Amino acid sequence: MKKEKSRTANVLRNMTAGMFVKGITLVLSFVSKTIFIKLLGIQYTGVSSLFTDILTVLSLAELGISSAITYALYKPVAEKDSRQIARLMNFYKTAYRMVALAVLSFGLALVPFLDRLVTDVPDIRESITLVYLLYVTKSACSYLLIYKSAILNAKQKKYEISKIEGIMAVVKLLAECLVLWLFRQFLAYLLTDILLTVVQNILISRRAEREYDSRAGGDGGKLGKEEKLAILADVKALAMYQISGVCLSGTDSIVISSVLGTGMVGLLSSYKMLLQSVTSILQQFFNAANASVGNLAAEGGREKQYRLFRGLNFAVFWANAFCGTALYLLLNPFVELWLGREYLLGEPVALALTLDFYISNMIRCVALFRTSNGLFVQGRYRPVIMALLNVTLSVLFAYRSGIFGVLMATVIARAVTQVWYDPWLIYREIFRRNVGEYYKDYICYFLTAAAGILLIKAFAWLAAGTVGNPYHLFLLKAALCLAVPNGVIVLFWHRTEQFGECVRRIGKIAGMVKGGGRRDGR
């Protein structure tokens, strides 16, 4: 019981800090994006989004090393084995130096092909090559110091990283906006971003050094051959998942830019920023819970994990249904009020983005238990199939259906691979139960969310004739999005086992908040 309370306390601290920081970041990103578009224009936004996604693809060089090392650190951290921690950190440092070199090399290798990736961008004053090289430099530098943060993650102290990220988010916004206002220069903006990113990584590294005194473990030496092979086996398997994630998140912009023009990437980037901001807030819960679920998995207890999974998965659905409903119904009205009608992409695009948002976030609980239980090798070919399917369909659909086709390619690739396979894997390997129960819940969850959307659309349609002011109509839809999904979920699910487990967990966290967090776990 004491361990469970301690795990809950750590999750609470990590989640609270993470969500607070991401909430601040969401607001600051919105302000920064607005200033960026108003001062530099949509073409610069398209170039920035495209190069960010290209570097996301280059991050394949990381190949899941971070996840494998963090998983390997759980045991020595729990046992306070300083020498083993030192060995793992030495290995991690060497690996990330090689990653930085690989990112830099692959990035430079793409320079001759930039004219094929960046199309229809007449209003960019600066050299596209120079801008791209600055993005590559920023990405490569980030790997040189940030590896030390693994010790904070393994010790369930993600909140320490969140504190630094929150402070630096404010500093970045003020500095970048000041630079844009004074100079109106994209290069000055990029140089400021690079400098502050390096400063942030240095601060995180220093905080990690205070948490772990490398002198306690001595030099530590090198990992044994068997230990290296075990980690590399996990890395190879994780690489498949890394490739899959990158292909799903990073290739869409490249395809759209190459086929439809870089300006279209700029239009889509406003929508993606809003979805990614919401996703990043939800992700904080999983980041906070990762080490705690890993700790529970290390203790064993199949039934404990299963009960926790059912409650967490229902909580994920609840958050997903609420956020997905709001995103689908409010994305276009918000962009119109924010930037103007010329920046709209239409309801089909909002639908495709929301479907991908819902599907990708519904699988996060499954992924959390898969990685926390070390299921890296099992199912390693599924991500490859999904990635190949996504890229193939994206190119085909881009010529037929434009942006909507590219986005739906991602939805289809997820639906026919990840949605059914990953749950089957954890039910077989971890819970030893029939996965049909999960599939049944998944379909019912989706139908519940769809019912909420249809109700809101009906209410909004009836009110549209009487509410002429677009701001008032937006506020009405927002109020409906707040009330209807939550009401429908409570109505249909309040008597179920997973609803009870979810409420019990929320009640426990609320009790800890009321009691001051009980950081000592007592």
Side-chain angles (χ1 to χ4, degrees):
M1 181 61 71
K2 183 176 179 180
K3 287 184 177 181
E4 183 177 357
K5 288 183 177 179
S6 179
R7 280 194 293 265
T8 305
N10 285 324
V11 170
L12 175 61
R13 288 199 298 273
N14 290 330
M15 181 177 63
T16 302
M19 287 190 170
F20 178 74
V21 169
K22 287 303 177 181
I24 293 175
T25 304
L26 188 155
V27 175
L28 296 181
S29 297
F30 170 72
V31 174
S32 178
K33 187 82 168 182
T34 304
I35 294 173
F36 191 96
I37 291 174
K38 297 299 182 183
L39 294 181
L40 293 181
I42 194 66
Q43 298 292 350
Y44 281 97
T45 307
V47 169
S48 176
S49 182
L50 173 63
F51 286 167
T52 299
D53 284 342
I54 289 175
L55 290 171
T56 298
V57 175
L58 292 181
S59 71
L60 279 173
E62 200 267 348
L63 294 178
I65 295 172
S66 176
S67 298
I69 291 293
T70 301
Y71 177 74
L73 280 168
Y74 287 150
K75 184 177 179 180
V77 164
E79 297 175 351
K80 298 181 179 180
D81 186 347
S82 299
R83 291 188 63 81
Q84 181 64 5
I85 292 173
R87 293 188 192 101
L88 287 166
M89 295 304 289
N90 287 338
F91 178 80
Y92 198 12
K93 177 174 66 175
T94 302
Y96 256 37
R97 285 177 177 174
M98 295 175 64
V99 168
L101 180 61
V103 168
L104 187 61
S105 300
F106 292 150
L108 293 175
L110 282 179
V111 170
F113 306 99
L114 285 180
D115 58 336
R116 298 183 183 180
L117 298 175
V118 183
T119 59
D120 298 329
V121 190
D123 298 326
I124 298 297
R125 298 186 300 272
E126 295 82 2
S127 165
I128 288 293
T129 301
L130 179 58
V131 170
Y132 171 73
L133 290 176
L134 287 175
Y135 272 93
V136 172
T137 300
K138 173 187 171 183
S139 181
C141 288
S142 67
Y143 289 105
L144 296 177
L145 296 169
I146 202 62
Y147 73 92
K148 293 181 181 178
S149 64
I151 195 69
L152 293 173
N153 289 325
K155 285 195 168 188
Q156 303 180 46
K157 293 189 176 182
K158 176 75 175 176
Y159 58 88
E160 296 288 355
I161 299 174
S162 297
K163 290 178 185 177
I164 297 173
E165 289 176 342
I167 294 171
M168 289 304 300
V170 176
V171 173
K172 275 188 177 184
L173 172 73
L174 296 175
E176 291 171 355
C177 290
L178 181 62
V179 167
L180 281 177
W181 182 69
L182 289 176
F183 302 106
R184 302 292 204 279
Q185 290 289 330
F186 190 35
L187 293 181
Y189 169 88
L190 287 177
L191 289 171
T192 303
D193 188 34
I194 292 172
L195 175 63
L196 293 177
T197 298
V198 172
V199 170
Q200 176 175 301
N201 290 340
I202 290 174
L203 293 175
I204 293 174
S205 177
R206 293 283 176 84
R207 178 61 189 88
E209 288 171 357
R210 291 200 300 272
E211 183 65 33
Y212 164 63
D213 184 2
S214 59
R215 292 172 297 182
D219 177 61
K222 297 181 179 181
L223 290 174
K225 183 177 180 180
E226 291 186 3
E227 292 174 312
K228 283 184 180 180
L229 290 176
I231 292 175
L232 290 175
D234 287 342
V235 168
K236 289 178 183 178
L238 281 165
M240 305 294 188
Y241 291 94
Q242 185 85 349
I243 291 169
S244 167
V246 166
C247 286
L248 263 66
S249 63
T251 57
D252 284 357
S253 292
I254 298 173
V255 172
I256 291 170
S257 179
S258 301
V259 177
L260 305 173
T262 306
M264 298 301 291
V265 178
L267 292 175
L268 182 62
S269 68
S270 300
Y271 286 77
K272 290 178 70 175
M273 185 204 74
L274 296 171
L275 271 85
Q276 288 168 356
S277 297
V278 177
T279 298
S280 66
I281 291 176
L282 296 179
Q283 180 63 24
Q284 294 313 301
F285 174 75
F286 295 101
N287 290 341
N290 191 44
S292 296
V293 174
N295 184 261
L296 178 62
E299 292 178 5
R302 208 179 310 279
E303 285 304 312
K304 278 188 177 181
Q305 286 204 71
Y306 177 70
R307 287 197 304 271
L308 178 60
F309 172 80
R310 289 270 284 174
L312 288 180
N313 198 51
F314 184 83
V316 169
F317 152 66
W318 196 334
N320 239 357
F322 168 64
C323 293
T325 298
L327 286 169
Y328 172 56
L329 296 171
L330 299 178
L331 264 177
N332 277 314
F334 182 82
V335 170
E336 182 178 2
L337 295 175
W338 172 30
L339 299 173
R341 294 186 63 84
E342 63 271 22
Y343 289 88
L344 291 178
L345 289 174
E347 186 170 344
V349 170
L351 174 62
L353 285 168
T354 304
L355 283 172
D356 186 56
F357 170 89
Y358 182 87
I359 292 174
S360 61
N361 281 291
M362 277 300 293
I363 208 69
R364 288 188 186 277
C365 191
V366 174
L368 171 62
F369 278 77
R370 176 177 55 78
T371 56
S372 296
N373 283 270
L375 297 182
F376 302 133
V377 177
Q378 298 88 339
R380 60 190 179 277
Y381 297 114
R382 188 276 301 161
V384 177
I385 296 171
M386 182 170 69
L388 291 174
L389 184 61
N390 175 63
V391 173
T392 303
L393 292 178
S394 291
V395 174
L396 293 175
F397 291 177
Y399 288 100
R400 292 177 175 270
S401 306
I403 291 180
F404 173 73
V406 175
L407 299 174
M408 282 304 298
T410 304
V411 173
I412 294 170
R414 288 190 193 277
V416 301
T417 55
Q418 186 182 35
V419 166
W420 69 269
Y421 182 83
D422 285 25
W424 173 80
L425 180 64
I426 69 164
Y427 268 71
R428 185 190 68 175
E429 298 291 335
I430 302 173
F431 307 139
R432 306 289 170 85
R433 287 173 173 266
N434 189 333
V435 73
E437 179 183 55
Y438 174 90
Y439 296 149
K440 179 182 176 182
D441 285 345
Y442 191 95
I443 294 172
C444 291
Y445 291 161
F446 184 83
L447 292 176
T448 303
I453 290 175
L454 291 175
L455 278 174
I456 295 174
K457 286 180 75 71
F459 287 140
W461 179 76
L462 291 172
T466 57
V467 182
N469 188 303
Y471 291 95
H472 293 167
L473 185 59
F474 178 84
L475 291 175
L476 173 63
K477 286 184 177 180
L480 290 171
C481 288
L482 179 64
V484 174
N486 296 313
V488 169
I489 290 169
V490 172
L491 177 65
F492 285 107
W493 293 93
H494 70 281
R495 293 184 178 179
T496 62
E497 177 187 349
Q498 55 266 49
F499 184 93
E501 177 68 17
C502 175
V503 171
R504 187 180 74 83
R505 294 279 172 180
I506 293 173
K508 181 182 292 186
I509 291 175
M512 297 188 72
V513 172
K514 186 177 179 180
R518 298 198 180 274
R519 296 192 173 200
D520 58 359
R522 291 175 291 185

